[in-house]
PDB file of all heavy atoms in Angstrom:
ATOM      1  N   PRO Q   1      -3.136  11.106  18.338  1.00 86.00           N
ATOM      2  CA  PRO Q   1      -4.150  12.140  18.622  1.00 86.00           C
ATOM      3  C   PRO Q   1      -3.688  13.572  18.353  1.00 86.00           C
ATOM      4  O   PRO Q   1      -4.394  14.321  17.650  1.00 86.00           O
ATOM      5  CB  PRO Q   1      -4.485  11.912  20.102  1.00 86.00           C
ATOM      6  CG  PRO Q   1      -4.200  10.457  20.319  1.00 86.00           C
ATOM      7  CD  PRO Q   1      -2.990  10.179  19.484  1.00 86.00           C
ATOM      8  N   PRO Q   2      -2.519  14.019  18.850  1.00 86.00           N
ATOM      9  CA  PRO Q   2      -2.127  15.408  18.563  1.00 86.00           C
ATOM     10  C   PRO Q   2      -1.798  15.653  17.096  1.00 86.00           C
ATOM     11  O   PRO Q   2      -2.010  16.760  16.589  1.00 86.00           O
ATOM     12  CB  PRO Q   2      -0.896  15.622  19.455  1.00 86.00           C
ATOM     13  CG  PRO Q   2      -0.399  14.276  19.785  1.00 86.00           C
ATOM     14  CD  PRO Q   2      -1.583  13.385  19.805  1.00 86.00           C
ATOM     15  N   LEU Q   3      -1.311  14.643  16.386  1.00 89.00           N
ATOM     16  CA  LEU Q   3      -1.010  14.818  14.963  1.00 89.00           C
ATOM     17  C   LEU Q   3      -2.278  14.960  14.139  1.00 89.00           C
ATOM     18  O   LEU Q   3      -2.332  15.749  13.189  1.00 89.00           O
ATOM     19  CB  LEU Q   3      -0.176  13.648  14.451  1.00 89.00           C
ATOM     20  CG  LEU Q   3       1.338  13.870  14.398  1.00 89.00           C
ATOM     21  CD1 LEU Q   3       2.043  12.592  14.025  1.00 89.00           C
ATOM     22  CD2 LEU Q   3       1.691  14.973  13.426  1.00 89.00           C
ATOM     23  N   LEU Q   4      -3.304  14.213  14.485  1.00 88.00           N
ATOM     24  CA  LEU Q   4      -4.553  14.289  13.726  1.00 88.00           C
ATOM     25  C   LEU Q   4      -5.208  15.662  13.853  1.00 88.00           C
ATOM     26  O   LEU Q   4      -5.988  16.067  12.978  1.00 88.00           O
ATOM     27  CB  LEU Q   4      -5.526  13.204  14.189  1.00 88.00           C
ATOM     28  CG  LEU Q   4      -5.138  11.760  13.839  1.00 88.00           C
ATOM     29  CD1 LEU Q   4      -6.202  10.796  14.322  1.00 88.00           C
ATOM     30  CD2 LEU Q   4      -4.900  11.602  12.345  1.00 88.00           C
ATOM     31  N   LYS Q   5      -4.888  16.389  14.911  1.00 86.00           N
ATOM     32  CA  LYS Q   5      -5.434  17.736  15.075  1.00 86.00           C
ATOM     33  C   LYS Q   5      -4.861  18.703  14.038  1.00 86.00           C
ATOM     34  O   LYS Q   5      -5.423  19.764  13.788  1.00 86.00           O
ATOM     35  CB  LYS Q   5      -5.141  18.253  16.483  1.00 86.00           C
ATOM     36  CG  LYS Q   5      -5.880  17.495  17.580  1.00 86.00           C
ATOM     37  CD  LYS Q   5      -5.527  18.025  18.959  1.00 86.00           C
ATOM     38  CE  LYS Q   5      -6.258  17.240  20.044  1.00 86.00           C
ATOM     39  NZ  LYS Q   5      -5.900  17.711  21.411  1.00 86.00           N
ATOM     40  N   LEU Q   6      -3.720  18.341  13.432  1.00 88.00           N
ATOM     41  CA  LEU Q   6      -3.092  19.197  12.423  1.00 88.00           C
ATOM     42  C   LEU Q   6      -3.527  18.824  11.001  1.00 88.00           C
ATOM     43  O   LEU Q   6      -3.188  19.537  10.052  1.00 88.00           O
ATOM     44  CB  LEU Q   6      -1.569  19.095  12.515  1.00 88.00           C
ATOM     45  CG  LEU Q   6      -0.918  19.427  13.859  1.00 88.00           C
ATOM     46  CD1 LEU Q   6       0.600  19.336  13.741  1.00 88.00           C
ATOM     47  CD2 LEU Q   6      -1.330  20.805  14.334  1.00 88.00           C
ATOM     48  N   ALA Q   7      -4.233  17.722  10.861  1.00 88.00           N
ATOM     49  CA  ALA Q   7      -4.609  17.254   9.523  1.00 88.00           C
ATOM     50  C   ALA Q   7      -5.663  18.162   8.898  1.00 88.00           C
ATOM     51  O   ALA Q   7      -6.545  18.681   9.570  1.00 88.00           O
ATOM     52  CB  ALA Q   7      -5.124  15.820   9.597  1.00 88.00           C
ATOM     53  N   CYS Q   8      -5.542  18.358   7.596  1.00 87.00           N
ATOM     54  CA  CYS Q   8      -6.487  19.203   6.859  1.00 87.00           C
ATOM     55  C   CYS Q   8      -7.581  18.381   6.179  1.00 87.00           C
ATOM     56  O   CYS Q   8      -8.291  18.889   5.321  1.00 87.00           O
ATOM     57  CB  CYS Q   8      -5.743  20.009   5.802  1.00 87.00           C
ATOM     58  SG  CYS Q   8      -4.615  21.206   6.490  1.00 87.00           S
ATOM     59  N   ALA Q   9      -7.691  17.116   6.534  1.00 87.00           N
ATOM     60  CA  ALA Q   9      -8.720  16.247   5.961  1.00 87.00           C
ATOM     61  C   ALA Q   9      -9.633  15.751   7.078  1.00 87.00           C
ATOM     62  O   ALA Q   9      -9.339  15.930   8.258  1.00 87.00           O
ATOM     63  CB  ALA Q   9      -8.058  15.068   5.250  1.00 87.00           C
ATOM     64  N   ASP Q  10     -10.720  15.142   6.693  1.00 88.00           N
ATOM     65  CA  ASP Q  10     -11.654  14.585   7.662  1.00 88.00           C
ATOM     66  C   ASP Q  10     -11.059  13.306   8.251  1.00 88.00           C
ATOM     67  O   ASP Q  10     -10.852  12.324   7.540  1.00 88.00           O
ATOM     68  CB  ASP Q  10     -12.991  14.283   6.985  1.00 88.00           C
ATOM     69  CG  ASP Q  10     -14.011  13.701   7.950  1.00 88.00           C
ATOM     70  OD1 ASP Q  10     -13.800  13.826   9.185  1.00 88.00           O
ATOM     71  OD2 ASP Q  10     -15.009  13.126   7.490  1.00 88.00           O
ATOM     72  N   THR Q  11     -10.769  13.343   9.541  1.00 89.00           N
ATOM     73  CA  THR Q  11     -10.142  12.186  10.196  1.00 89.00           C
ATOM     74  C   THR Q  11     -11.102  11.484  11.155  1.00 89.00           C
ATOM     75  O   THR Q  11     -10.654  10.652  11.946  1.00 89.00           O
ATOM     76  CB  THR Q  11      -8.887  12.639  10.971  1.00 89.00           C
ATOM     77  OG1 THR Q  11      -9.288  13.557  12.015  1.00 89.00           O
ATOM     78  CG2 THR Q  11      -7.881  13.311  10.059  1.00 89.00           C
ATOM     79  N   SER Q  12     -12.375  11.815  11.118  1.00 89.00           N
ATOM     80  CA  SER Q  12     -13.323  11.293  12.106  1.00 89.00           C
ATOM     81  C   SER Q  12     -13.406   9.764  12.073  1.00 89.00           C
ATOM     82  O   SER Q  12     -13.424   9.118  13.124  1.00 89.00           O
ATOM     83  CB  SER Q  12     -14.712  11.901  11.890  1.00 89.00           C
ATOM     84  OG  SER Q  12     -15.158  11.664  10.568  1.00 89.00           O
ATOM     85  N   ARG Q  13     -13.453   9.179  10.874  1.00 92.00           N
ATOM     86  CA  ARG Q  13     -13.537   7.728  10.789  1.00 92.00           C
ATOM     87  C   ARG Q  13     -12.270   7.066  11.312  1.00 92.00           C
ATOM     88  O   ARG Q  13     -12.322   6.043  12.003  1.00 92.00           O
ATOM     89  CB  ARG Q  13     -13.786   7.307   9.331  1.00 92.00           C
ATOM     90  CG  ARG Q  13     -15.183   7.653   8.819  1.00 92.00           C
ATOM     91  CD  ARG Q  13     -15.395   7.083   7.432  1.00 92.00           C
ATOM     92  NE  ARG Q  13     -16.748   7.373   6.942  1.00 92.00           N
ATOM     93  CZ  ARG Q  13     -17.197   7.006   5.758  1.00 92.00           C
ATOM     94  NH1 ARG Q  13     -16.393   6.327   4.927  1.00 92.00           N
ATOM     95  NH2 ARG Q  13     -18.439   7.305   5.396  1.00 92.00           N
ATOM     96  N   TYR Q  14     -11.146   7.671  10.951  1.00 92.00           N
ATOM     97  CA  TYR Q  14      -9.878   7.098  11.423  1.00 92.00           C
ATOM     98  C   TYR Q  14      -9.741   7.252  12.931  1.00 92.00           C
ATOM     99  O   TYR Q  14      -9.242   6.350  13.608  1.00 92.00           O
ATOM    100  CB  TYR Q  14      -8.697   7.759  10.702  1.00 92.00           C
ATOM    101  CG  TYR Q  14      -7.358   7.216  11.140  1.00 92.00           C
ATOM    102  CD1 TYR Q  14      -7.092   5.846  11.093  1.00 92.00           C
ATOM    103  CD2 TYR Q  14      -6.362   8.064  11.607  1.00 92.00           C
ATOM    104  CE1 TYR Q  14      -5.865   5.348  11.495  1.00 92.00           C
ATOM    105  CE2 TYR Q  14      -5.141   7.576  12.010  1.00 92.00           C
ATOM    106  CZ  TYR Q  14      -4.893   6.207  11.958  1.00 92.00           C
ATOM    107  OH  TYR Q  14      -3.687   5.709  12.367  1.00 92.00           O
ATOM    108  N   GLN Q  15     -10.169   8.380  13.474  1.00 88.00           N
ATOM    109  CA  GLN Q  15     -10.133   8.561  14.921  1.00 88.00           C
ATOM    110  C   GLN Q  15     -10.981   7.514  15.627  1.00 88.00           C
ATOM    111  O   GLN Q  15     -10.602   7.001  16.688  1.00 88.00           O
ATOM    112  CB  GLN Q  15     -10.619   9.965  15.287  1.00 88.00           C
ATOM    113  CG  GLN Q  15      -9.638  11.069  14.935  1.00 88.00           C
ATOM    114  CD  GLN Q  15     -10.117  12.428  15.397  1.00 88.00           C
ATOM    115  OE1 GLN Q  15     -10.613  12.579  16.506  1.00 88.00           O
ATOM    116  NE2 GLN Q  15      -9.966  13.431  14.551  1.00 88.00           N
ATOM    117  N   LEU Q  16     -12.124   7.173  15.028  1.00 88.00           N
ATOM    118  CA  LEU Q  16     -12.972   6.124  15.592  1.00 88.00           C
ATOM    119  C   LEU Q  16     -12.253   4.779  15.558  1.00 88.00           C
ATOM    120  O   LEU Q  16     -12.302   4.003  16.526  1.00 88.00           O
ATOM    121  CB  LEU Q  16     -14.287   6.037  14.828  1.00 88.00           C
ATOM    122  CG  LEU Q  16     -15.271   4.943  15.285  1.00 88.00           C
ATOM    123  CD1 LEU Q  16     -15.671   5.155  16.740  1.00 88.00           C
ATOM    124  CD2 LEU Q  16     -16.498   4.910  14.370  1.00 88.00           C
ATOM    125  N   MET Q  17     -11.549   4.514  14.450  1.00 90.00           N
ATOM    126  CA  MET Q  17     -10.810   3.260  14.342  1.00 90.00           C
ATOM    127  C   MET Q  17      -9.679   3.206  15.364  1.00 90.00           C
ATOM    128  O   MET Q  17      -9.438   2.168  15.993  1.00 90.00           O
ATOM    129  CB  MET Q  17     -10.242   3.095  12.928  1.00 90.00           C
ATOM    130  CG  MET Q  17      -9.604   1.737  12.702  1.00 90.00           C
ATOM    131  SD  MET Q  17      -8.921   1.525  11.046  1.00 90.00           S
ATOM    132  CE  MET Q  17      -7.419   2.486  11.179  1.00 90.00           C
ATOM    133  N   VAL Q  18      -8.976   4.335  15.540  1.00 88.00           N
ATOM    134  CA  VAL Q  18      -7.907   4.396  16.538  1.00 88.00           C
ATOM    135  C   VAL Q  18      -8.468   4.133  17.935  1.00 88.00           C
ATOM    136  O   VAL Q  18      -7.869   3.409  18.743  1.00 88.00           O
ATOM    137  CB  VAL Q  18      -7.207   5.773  16.492  1.00 88.00           C
ATOM    138  CG1 VAL Q  18      -6.267   5.949  17.685  1.00 88.00           C
ATOM    139  CG2 VAL Q  18      -6.430   5.927  15.188  1.00 88.00           C
ATOM    140  N   TYR Q  19      -9.641   4.710  18.197  1.00 86.00           N
ATOM    141  CA  TYR Q  19     -10.279   4.517  19.505  1.00 86.00           C
ATOM    142  C   TYR Q  19     -10.636   3.046  19.721  1.00 86.00           C
ATOM    143  O   TYR Q  19     -10.341   2.474  20.781  1.00 86.00           O
ATOM    144  CB  TYR Q  19     -11.536   5.385  19.591  1.00 86.00           C
ATOM    145  CG  TYR Q  19     -12.290   5.236  20.894  1.00 86.00           C
ATOM    146  CD1 TYR Q  19     -11.869   5.899  22.044  1.00 86.00           C
ATOM    147  CD2 TYR Q  19     -13.419   4.421  20.969  1.00 86.00           C
ATOM    148  CE1 TYR Q  19     -12.558   5.749  23.233  1.00 86.00           C
ATOM    149  CE2 TYR Q  19     -14.104   4.269  22.157  1.00 86.00           C
ATOM    150  CZ  TYR Q  19     -13.668   4.939  23.296  1.00 86.00           C
ATOM    151  OH  TYR Q  19     -14.352   4.781  24.474  1.00 86.00           O
ATOM    152  N   VAL Q  20     -11.230   2.417  18.705  1.00 88.00           N
ATOM    153  CA  VAL Q  20     -11.634   1.015  18.827  1.00 88.00           C
ATOM    154  C   VAL Q  20     -10.409   0.123  18.995  1.00 88.00           C
ATOM    155  O   VAL Q  20     -10.379  -0.786  19.852  1.00 88.00           O
ATOM    156  CB  VAL Q  20     -12.459   0.585  17.599  1.00 88.00           C
ATOM    157  CG1 VAL Q  20     -12.701  -0.930  17.611  1.00 88.00           C
ATOM    158  CG2 VAL Q  20     -13.782   1.325  17.567  1.00 88.00           C
ATOM    159  N   MET Q  21      -9.365   0.376  18.190  1.00 86.00           N
ATOM    160  CA  MET Q  21      -8.143  -0.420  18.303  1.00 86.00           C
ATOM    161  C   MET Q  21      -7.477  -0.207  19.655  1.00 86.00           C
ATOM    162  O   MET Q  21      -6.970  -1.160  20.279  1.00 86.00           O
ATOM    163  CB  MET Q  21      -7.181  -0.042  17.174  1.00 86.00           C
ATOM    164  CG  MET Q  21      -7.640  -0.475  15.802  1.00 86.00           C
ATOM    165  SD  MET Q  21      -7.674  -2.279  15.606  1.00 86.00           S
ATOM    166  CE  MET Q  21      -5.931  -2.659  15.685  1.00 86.00           C
ATOM    167  N   GLY Q  22      -7.461   1.045  20.124  1.00 84.00           N
ATOM    168  CA  GLY Q  22      -6.859   1.333  21.416  1.00 84.00           C
ATOM    169  C   GLY Q  22      -7.581   0.633  22.549  1.00 84.00           C
ATOM    170  O   GLY Q  22      -6.942   0.027  23.428  1.00 84.00           O
ATOM    171  N   VAL Q  23      -8.916   0.694  22.523  1.00 85.00           N
ATOM    172  CA  VAL Q  23      -9.710   0.020  23.556  1.00 85.00           C
ATOM    173  C   VAL Q  23      -9.491  -1.486  23.498  1.00 85.00           C
ATOM    174  O   VAL Q  23      -9.326  -2.150  24.533  1.00 85.00           O
ATOM    175  CB  VAL Q  23     -11.206   0.366  23.392  1.00 85.00           C
ATOM    176  CG1 VAL Q  23     -12.061  -0.517  24.301  1.00 85.00           C
ATOM    177  CG2 VAL Q  23     -11.447   1.837  23.716  1.00 85.00           C
ATOM    178  N   SER Q  24      -9.451  -2.050  22.283  1.00 86.00           N
ATOM    179  CA  SER Q  24      -9.258  -3.494  22.132  1.00 86.00           C
ATOM    180  C   SER Q  24      -7.894  -3.919  22.643  1.00 86.00           C
ATOM    181  O   SER Q  24      -7.762  -4.913  23.377  1.00 86.00           O
ATOM    182  CB  SER Q  24      -9.409  -3.897  20.659  1.00 86.00           C
ATOM    183  OG  SER Q  24     -10.690  -3.555  20.175  1.00 86.00           O
TER     184      SER Q  24
END
């Protein structure tokens, strides 16, 4: 999560995947 805040690209889809994987 804190690293994705530094990314200069659109990470919204990946953040959603991280959330789904984390919840699972």
Side-chain angles (χ1 to χ4, degrees):
L3 263 174
L4 291 181
K5 293 179 181 178
L6 303 183
C8 294
D10 180 17
T11 63
S12 56
R13 290 186 178 179
Y14 180 54
Q15 288 184 43
L16 178 60
M17 187 180 76
V18 170
Y19 179 80
V20 171
M21 291 294 293
V23 170
S24 301

